[in-house]
Amino acid sequence: MSPPLLAVTQGDPAGIGPEILLKLVARHRGGEDRYLPLLVAERSALEAVASAVPPVAWERLCWLDASPDAERLADLPPGAVPVLDPVRRPRRVEPGRSGPEDAQGALCALDAGIDLASRGVARALVTAPVSKESIARHALPGFTGHTDYLAERAGLGRYGRDYLMAFLAPDLRVALLST
């Protein structure tokens, strides 16, 4: 049985997310892992931080030309890590300086990850941090974060009743009752 596929979004392209994703790829051991990551990240964002992380075997990254289905992913070479660029155009990413294109890129990645999970291609969605301020200022006024955005996309109504934010660790589980 193949490991579950997890859609992992880049977060803010100018933030820490792309670095986290590359470190994940560097640690990924192919068939030995309990999951297969599907990175939802801009190539430009990953390239912008490549020199700041441990060496990544770029040849392991399998760039997808469109949102995949389960059959296409089953044909990946052993050890390959699929990557879906939600923007699909090169641009300059300046780490630490989130602007309008970064806010749009973060939302595009989040929407693509939601789509992958909603269609059942990915078993779960894992999100890197976004800049709430950048998204609210440049792309979506009133944006308060992943939790409310995901809840709205899922048709959920009230925080604390229909959904809530939670943090899980091996020895700790924390849920925020209010925001």
Side-chain angles (χ1 to χ4, degrees):
M1 189 163 129
S2 61
L5 182 74
L6 305 181
V8 185
T9 62
Q10 70 183 355
D12 188 312
I16 189 85
E19 188 175 327
I20 292 170
L21 269 58
L22 288 179
K23 287 180 178 180
L24 174 72
V25 171
R27 291 181 50 196
H28 185 66
R29 296 180 310 272
E32 298 174 36
D33 284 329
R34 296 186 318 205
Y35 65 92
L36 172 64
L38 188 167
L39 307 185
V40 184
E42 294 174 68
R43 181 186 287 255
S44 298
L46 296 177
E47 289 173 347
V49 297
S51 64
V53 297
V56 173
W58 284 92
E59 67 276 359
R60 290 183 56 212
L61 299 181
C62 181
W63 296 91
L64 306 172
D65 56 0
S67 188
D69 56 30
E71 290 174 14
R72 282 183 55 209
L73 291 170
D75 293 336
L76 290 174
V81 176
V83 185
L84 175 64
D85 183 336
V87 176
R88 295 189 188 100
R89 66 175 178 75
R91 67 180 184 92
R92 184 162 185 232
V93 175
E94 290 186 64
R97 300 192 118 137
S98 185
E101 288 185 290
D102 302 301
Q104 287 297 334
L107 286 174
C108 286
L110 190 53
D111 288 339
I114 291 168
D115 176 65
L116 289 165
S118 297
R119 291 189 296 120
V121 175
R123 205 66 164 288
L125 175 64
V126 179
T127 60
V130 298
S131 171
K132 296 175 195 172
E133 176 189 1
S134 181
I135 291 174
R137 181 183 323 140
H138 301 298
L140 191 61
F143 181 83
T144 58
H146 285 99
T147 305
D148 293 332
Y149 188 79
L150 291 166
E152 183 179 318
R153 289 285 309 269
L156 301 175
R158 198 171 96 211
Y159 187 87
R161 182 191 71 194
D162 301 323
Y163 66 97
L164 54 81
M165 183 187 315
F167 302 93
L168 307 174
D171 297 324
L172 182 67
R173 287 170 177 73
V174 177
L176 304 181
L177 185 55
S178 64
T179 51

